[in-house]
Amino acid sequence: MRLLRCAAILMFFSALRAFAQVNTGELRLRITDPAGLAVKASAQLISEANQYSNSVITNDSGYAQLARLPYGVYLLKISAPGFAPAEKRLQIASAIPVEATVKLELAALTTVVKVTETGTLIDPDQPSSIMRIGTQQIEDRVGSLPGRSVQDLVNTQPGWLYEGNAVLHPRGSEYQTQFVVDGIPLTDNRSPSFGPELEADDLDSMSIYTAGFPAEYGRRMGGVVELNTTTETNPGTHGKLVLAGGSFDTANGYGQIQQKWGANLLSATAAGSMSGHYLNPVVPENFTNNGTTGDFSARYERDFTPADRLWMSVRHELSRFQIPNELVQQEAGQRQYGDNFETMGIAGYQHIFSPDVLGNFSGMVRNNSNNLYSNQSSTPIIAFQHNDFTEEYFKGSVSIHHDNQEWKAGVDSDNIFLNENFTYRITDPAYFDPGTPLTGSFIESRPELDQSAFVEDLIRLDNW
């Protein structure tokens, strides 16, 4: 019955349309000449505060679109042959798309004065501190061990403490870290020993919260990490290939290809890595610490009309690794192995009801499984574990812009069906309290059903 339910929900969400990010907006740009005719031009959008920089070429109608823009102040630079360069300061402060029209002036024979807009280092309307990591910082990051590229980036921000094996602690001591991938919250542990990661090369930007959480982030209040995956804004075929290697037999690779034609976007990614230092070793000798990871994804996006957008994506991730041995375990011949598998399908729909009202609907179905295996020489305990869960998630929200207010309200439903199977046999009782059973098992299944609603309002009063 559970398989039938998952299949039905997947088919239902495959028919839905896409939605904008939780705290991101969109710019719809049109370039014209002095007579109001369309101009094909090059546009660069920059935000120093968000560490964001992206370039796009308008189509023959002078139109371009940039989505998934973190809230903030942006500087738009326009250039086209035969026209004078132009700059315009914009602010993205709502999920409602910003419509911007830039009228270019004919280039003068001589240029005497160059006028530039104000900077974008500070967003004067941001009421709380949000740490941003943009494309440039992601591309120029220091290399990471497999399974840790996103966690290492988060750890560079103030207020975060790194525990062994890449467990993140917001505010230096808390757990409860929530990752949000393309608007979908993931509340389970995402460290390398518990679950496969989304590769940092697959990201366009990150927003990191340790305070001032939006109302819809109510399930994990330690810290929130929003991850926005990369999409190409220019038409045609685009690709990226990243290869890296290092000591401890470490190597990784990432490849991406995207095709954009008309109102359609199709992309695929693949990543893989290996290392002889996957987890933190328990002794300097670093016994039995090999690990490999893999990640495959595909995404389709289409704008049916200026008011309707659909996107769907599917992702499969895996990791396989050995559990590091202590010296006595290595001498005894212990070999323990772990693996994680995750398959995730996401779909969504965005509809603009009016220039001030936007609706978002999204859903996800995913299956996550973890396994632990031990050989017969393991000491002081031989353990076997298999746990898996199926998660069904849906969210609907509406954003309303009215004068100096940004309203957002919505509902969501997160249903998880967990299965746990653990067995053990103690091989060296000296390590355990007297009376501890030499063998044991635990088999159980439980659902977690979580429904919620939220309302939030951001009010701007002059400089407040």
Side-chain angles (χ1 to χ4, degrees):
M1 291 297 294
R2 185 170 298 161
L3 287 175
L4 290 174
R5 181 172 57 247
C6 292
I9 292 176
L10 269 175
M11 288 187 291
F12 171 73
F13 284 130
S14 295
L16 290 177
R17 320 248 180 118
F19 79 114
Q21 295 305 100
V22 175
N23 277 304
T24 61
E26 182 176 325
L27 173 63
R28 297 182 175 184
L29 176 65
R30 189 171 301 278
I31 309 297
T32 69
D33 64 9
L37 300 177
V39 174
K40 190 171 185 178
S42 175
Q44 183 180 20
L45 192 65
I46 301 169
S47 175
E48 296 171 278
N50 292 336
Q51 300 184 30
Y52 180 92
S53 178
N54 196 5
S55 297
V56 63
I57 298 175
T58 62
N59 59 20
D60 293 335
S61 299
Y63 181 79
Q65 180 176 292
L66 292 101
R68 301 182 190 173
L69 301 176
Y71 290 175
V73 180
Y74 290 82
L75 181 63
L76 179 65
K77 296 183 177 181
I78 308 294
S79 62
F83 293 90
E87 292 186 356
K88 186 171 185 177
R89 188 172 182 264
L90 302 167
Q91 185 169 17
I92 305 295
S94 171
I96 308 295
V98 173
E99 305 277 353
T101 299
V102 178
K103 183 178 292 187
L104 298 180
E105 300 296 332
L106 296 176
L109 295 178
T110 59
T111 302
V112 179
V113 178
K114 181 179 180 181
V115 179
T116 60
E117 278 281 5
T118 56
T120 62
L121 187 58
I122 295 176
D123 180 2
D125 293 320
Q126 180 55 249
S128 62
S129 176
I130 302 174
M131 292 161 280
R132 309 284 193 187
I133 298 179
T135 305
Q136 194 63 45
Q137 187 174 347
I138 293 174
E139 291 181 350
D140 296 340
R141 71 187 187 277
V142 176
S144 301
L145 290 172
R148 305 184 184 214
S149 59
V150 171
Q151 286 89 340
D152 284 350
L153 281 169
V154 176
N155 190 47
T156 63
Q157 304 304 300
W160 293 83
L161 178 67
Y162 225 9
E163 188 187 334
N165 293 323
V167 178
L168 291 164
H169 295 282
R171 285 183 294 280
S173 61
E174 298 186 35
Y175 288 89
Q176 299 283 315
T177 299
Q178 178 178 187
F179 286 87
V180 181
V181 179
D182 287 342
I184 301 295
L186 307 178
T187 56
D188 52 309
N189 191 331
R190 308 301 294 182
S191 60
S193 55
F194 284 91
E197 77 152 350
L198 180 69
E199 173 61 42
D201 287 310
D202 203 14
L203 301 179
D204 183 61
S205 64
M206 301 171 58
S207 300
I208 302 169
Y209 301 79
T210 53
F213 302 107
E216 56 196 297
Y217 295 145
R219 291 185 171 87
R220 296 290 184 271
M221 299 302 292
V224 174
V225 181
E226 283 185 346
L227 307 177
N228 299 320
T229 56
T230 302
T231 55
E232 180 58 52
T233 54
N234 290 312
T237 303
H238 306 268
K240 180 168 69 172
L241 179 65
V242 180
L243 301 173
S247 56
F248 295 101
D249 297 323
T250 299
N252 59 72
Y254 170 83
Q256 178 194 61
I257 185 168
Q258 295 194 27
Q259 174 70 34
K260 183 173 176 60
W261 71 102
N264 301 279
L265 172 70
L266 181 63
S267 68
T269 68
S273 63
M274 56 178 287
S275 177
H277 194 144
Y278 185 75
L279 300 176
N280 288 31
V282 293
V283 292
E285 291 83 358
N286 188 39
F287 297 123
T288 62
N289 201 5
N290 296 318
T292 59
T293 69
D295 182 297
F296 313 92
S297 73
R299 178 188 179 94
Y300 175 72
E301 185 174 323
R302 176 177 173 82
D303 291 335
F304 287 95
T305 70
D308 295 277
R309 174 178 301 153
L310 157 73
W311 67 264
M312 297 179 291
S313 69
V314 61
R315 181 179 297 273
H316 180 69
E317 304 167 311
L318 62 94
S319 63
R320 294 187 175 95
F321 52 91
Q322 290 179 293
I323 309 299
N325 279 342
E326 294 183 350
L327 181 59
V328 64
Q329 294 170 327
Q330 183 71 14
E331 292 178 345
Q334 170 175 290
R335 296 294 183 271
Q336 289 185 322
Y337 303 88
D339 60 45
N340 312 120
F341 298 90
E342 182 173 76
T343 301
M344 180 190 317
I346 304 174
Y349 167 69
Q350 170 184 292
H351 178 71
I352 301 175
F353 295 96
S354 74
D356 294 322
V357 181
L358 178 144
N360 293 320
F361 306 92
S362 66
M364 173 191 69
V365 175
R366 68 167 172 149
N367 180 264
N368 182 291
S369 65
N370 298 269
N371 298 285
L372 171 68
Y373 311 96
S374 304
N375 68 355
Q376 294 301 311
S377 300
S378 297
T379 184
I381 185 174
I382 297 174
F384 296 90
Q385 182 184 34
H386 171 79
N387 68 61
D388 69 85
F389 65 84
T390 298
E391 182 176 11
E392 303 164 358
Y393 178 84
F394 170 79
K395 178 170 68 175
S397 66
V398 60
S399 301
I400 303 173
H401 171 77
H402 179 68
D403 293 334
N404 60 342
Q405 293 180 282
E406 300 291 339
W407 285 92
K408 190 170 187 180
V411 296
D412 69 358
S413 174
D414 192 14
N415 304 308
I416 299 176
F417 304 90
L418 177 65
N419 305 289
E420 179 76 33
N421 187 338
F422 176 75
T423 61
Y424 72 89
R425 177 164 62 87
I426 295 175
T427 57
D428 192 343
Y431 284 85
F432 297 86
D433 294 332
T436 302
L438 296 181
T439 61
S441 64
F442 176 84
I443 301 175
E444 193 61 81
S445 297
R446 284 287 186 273
E448 179 185 348
L449 309 178
D450 190 354
Q451 285 73 44
S452 66
F454 65 90
V455 178
E456 61 188 38
D457 182 22
L458 176 63
I459 305 173
R460 295 180 176 86
L461 300 175
D462 295 329
N463 294 326
W464 291 91

